[in-house]
Amino acid sequence: MTIEVNGKSLETDEEGYLADLNQWEPEVATMMAKADDTELSDAHWEVINFLREYYEEYQIAPAVRVLTKAIGKKLGKDKGNSKYLYELFPYGPAKQACKYAGLPKPTGCV
Amino acid sequence: MAMLHTVNKSPFERNSFDSCLSHAKAGSSILLFEDGIYAVVKGSSASGKIQKASGVSIYALGPDLKARGIGEDQIIGGVTVVDYGGFVDLVTRHDSVQSWL
Amino acid sequence: MSEIKKFLYVNRKAPYGTVYALESLEVVLIGAAFDQDVSLAFIDDGVFQLAKGQKTTDIGMKNFSPTYSALGDYEVKKIYVEKESLEERGLTPDNLLHLTYEDEDEDYAEKDSIQFVSRAELSDIMDQQDVVPSF
């Protein structure tokens, strides 16, 4: 599978996760969201950018429980709960947000 | 006949390194790479054996040291660190190569 | 609720020569989702997994050592490193990553995850476990 971004054709796996995270650019997230009928707000970007930073530091996409706790610590308690995150990413905060962020599917996510 | 011996297994897990060291003749060289590089860490039981061996030149592959977090300040004296190009040069400079798996 | 079991993952291999180290780490991260009492032991060549300053660009493999620092987020708070294994390999605690977790009972104070234990102490720790997966 591939996704067309800025005239380039980027490879993804069968579930739509980017094959090479170095090919990521913000436009990738926008395009993937569009395919899910979602328009990305600042609140979405906050989570996407957080995930990219988490990956940069630890080389893994965090499990949803870990993500929720870490978001709460970084962005405030009102955002560190699954209700808030599921409203932003109804397909599952870890799965969907990681996909938009160009990360692999979270370890331990089925 | 100068021989190049290569060892890519940890000296603490297999006896490849010990066996190589006891068979290597004076004038030959030993190149340590992959997990074999752990033999040159200062203060380790394996590096003590290298220091007792005489007449054998010891080389270690730099990229494998770096990958494993073994700094050049952590390795014993007398070891020459080489890159992949140096690996090739060693092979061409010797008459034959024996890989201790 | 099922009863909480004590798991000790024993790591005995160097990080890049074989796939055991990475596999073990992935199993630990996945297993962390099931509220169990998880601890890790690094013995024999396993102590090399925790060496700091790993840079794998030149060997073309993924450097997974930064992931050990995420173990605290996954509620893995007990990491045992065997002193004798370190010494035999010419390593000291200073050569290892500094791993921490946040203690929820003490206002999220940052605490060291790694405990340096002797071989005898580790054999007692092993003896107290319900499940001991070894890699």
Side-chain angles (χ1 to χ4, degrees), chain B residues 16-99:
Chain B
S16 321
F17 169 76
D18 281 340
S19 192
C20 169
L21 204 56
S22 52
H23 289 90
K25 292 180 90 68
S28 66
S29 306
I30 300 177
L31 170 69
L32 301 161
F33 70 110
E34 294 174 359
D35 288 348
I37 60 96
Y38 290 125
V40 300
V41 180
K42 212 186 285 178
S44 68
S45 50
S47 66
K49 293 174 191 165
I50 294 184
Q51 284 165 321
K52 277 186 218 136
S54 58
V56 179
S57 311
I58 307 288
Y59 300 85
L61 195 63
D64 284 324
L65 286 166
K66 232 160 98 184
R68 288 160 179 78
I70 305 299
E72 298 209 7
D73 56 322
Q74 281 174 266
I75 71 182
I76 53 168
V79 172
T80 311
V81 175
V82 296
D83 58 12
Y84 290 110
F87 192 153
V88 176
D89 289 343
L90 280 172
V91 172
T92 57
R93 264 192 11 232
H94 290 78
D95 302 311
S96 55
V97 180
Q98 185 174 358
S99 306

Side-chain angles (χ1 to χ4, degrees), chain A residues 4-42:
Chain A
E4 299 296 323
V5 177
N6 286 339
K8 277 172 292 185
S9 174
L10 309 179
E11 201 184 323
T12 66
D13 68 9
E14 68 276 12
E15 292 178 275
Y17 289 82
L18 210 57
D20 177 3
L21 84 140
N22 294 316
Q23 293 183 325
W24 187 87
E25 47 189 300
E27 195 62 12
V28 170
T30 313
M31 294 296 288
M32 286 178 171
K34 202 178 268 177
D36 292 336
D37 283 325
T38 305
E39 191 159 339
L40 296 179
S41 64
D42 287 350

Side-chain angles (χ1 to χ4, degrees), chain B residues 10-13 35 38 41-46 63-64 66-70 74 84, chain C residues 13-17 45 48 51-56 58-59 87-91 95:
Chain B
S10 163
F12 310 105
E13 201 189 48
D35 288 348
Y38 290 125
V41 180
K42 212 186 285 178
S44 68
S45 50
D64 284 324
K66 232 160 98 184
R68 288 160 179 78
I70 305 299
Q74 281 174 266
Y84 290 110
Chain C
K13 309 278 185 197
Y16 301 106
D45 277 359
F48 288 129
K52 69 177 175 196
Q54 299 178 33
K55 290 193 183 68
T56 57
D58 294 345
I59 64 165
E87 282 163 22
E88 286 157 9
R89 287 160 183 76
L91 299 183
N95 297 126

Side-chain angles (χ1 to χ4, degrees), chain A residues 54-55 57-63 65-66 69 73 77 107-108, chain C residues 26 29-30 32-33 62-63 66-67 69-70 73-75 102 104:
Chain A
Y54 196 93
Y55 192 89
E57 184 167 0
Y58 299 116
Q59 299 295 304
I60 46 164
R65 186 171 49 91
V66 174
K69 211 165 85 179
K73 210 176 109 194
K77 279 256 184 304
T107 305
Chain C
E26 289 188 341
L29 295 176
I30 293 166
K62 178 173 167 164
N63 174 10
T67 306
S69 298
D73 291 348
Y74 282 76
E75 309 282 325
E102 291 175 348
E104 284 171 42

Side-chain angles (χ1 to χ4, degrees), chain C residues 13 22-23 63 74 80 86 117 119-120 128 134:
Chain C
K13 309 278 185 197
L22 178 58
E23 292 281 316
N63 174 10
Y74 282 76
Y80 304 108
L86 269 187
V117 295
R119 197 157 274 163
Q128 295 154 8
S134 184

